[in-house]
Amino acid sequence: MPRGKTLGKTPGKPARQLLFSEALCQQKHPSKEDPPSFPRSSMADDAHGTTMDRILQKISAVSRKLDGMDRATVALTAETRSMRLDIAGFQSQISALDQRVATMETQVASWTDRDQELLHRCSKLIDLEDRSPRNNVCLLGFPEDIEGADMFSYLRETLPKLS
């Protein structure tokens, strides 16, 4: 019978374990309808009986070990399922975060484009302001920045001398 299948008498116990357990129970508690036992007359029969007892004890020990292994396997299976659920949750969180990052990258790229456009328009504005015609009077023949800090006082003194 495949491992992990049960016979239906005891839920959760593998069939192999049930067979061994039933054999041990029958060995310890013989049924009322046992076949007639023949008297043992030789030492060979006694040795044969003790050998069978040892074999049954070893089978019982193996059965207990297998039972422990089955319990450990069930625990590992439960833990593995739990980890799978955790991993699935992490995958969905990572997917959501990936989508948010992609959205943010798109927004940052559009901001960078806007910043570039804003800088370009600012430089055009500065250029236009510098080149726009002003209502300035240009005096030819005077060196640049000769008036100093106070232009009006310089012109009051200089213009009467020139006329």
Side-chain angles (χ1 to χ4, degrees):
M1 190 171 265
R3 180 180 169 122
K5 298 281 185 177
T6 59
L7 289 175
K9 288 186 176 181
T10 308
K13 284 195 174 184
R16 170 183 64 256
Q17 186 176 353
L18 285 175
L19 291 176
F20 290 139
S21 298
E22 288 173 2
L24 287 175
C25 286
Q26 287 175 2
Q27 178 72 22
K28 291 178 184 176
H29 308 289
S31 67
K32 294 178 183 176
E33 299 176 8
D34 282 342
S37 60
F38 296 103
R40 293 183 183 167
S41 59
S42 68
M43 290 179 66
D45 287 340
D46 289 340
H48 180 66
T50 57
T51 304
M52 290 301 287
D53 288 342
R54 276 191 247 147
I55 290 173
L56 286 174
Q57 287 173 354
K58 288 183 180 185
I59 288 174
S60 174
V62 168
S63 175
R64 284 191 300 272
K65 287 181 182 179
L66 287 175
D67 187 40
M69 285 184 198
D70 284 342
R71 277 188 249 125
T73 302
V74 167
L76 285 174
T77 302
E79 188 173 340
T80 303
R81 284 185 187 141
S82 172
M83 286 181 181
R84 273 193 205 144
L85 292 174
D86 290 345
I87 289 171
F90 292 147
Q91 285 175 336
S92 65
Q93 288 177 353
I94 288 171
S95 177
L97 289 174
D98 190 34
Q99 186 177 6
R100 288 177 62 189
V101 166
T103 304
M104 294 304 292
E105 285 174 343
T106 304
Q107 288 180 351
V108 167
S110 69
W111 292 341
T112 304
D113 292 343
R114 289 180 196 161
D115 287 347
Q116 296 276 336
E117 185 179 339
L118 183 62
L119 286 174
H120 178 68
R121 289 182 185 213
C122 283
S123 67
K124 279 178 101 175
L125 178 65
I126 291 170
D127 187 45
L128 288 173
E129 284 177 349
D130 287 344
R131 291 177 187 250
S132 70
R134 296 179 184 164
N135 295 328
N136 290 343
V137 177
C138 293
L139 300 174
L140 299 175
F142 289 100
E144 193 71 34
D145 293 330
I146 196 167
E147 71 275 0
D150 190 13
M151 179 179 70
F152 292 113
S153 63
Y154 176 75
L155 288 177
R156 272 188 232 133
E157 292 173 12
T158 308
L159 286 180
K161 292 178 188 176
L162 292 176
S163 12

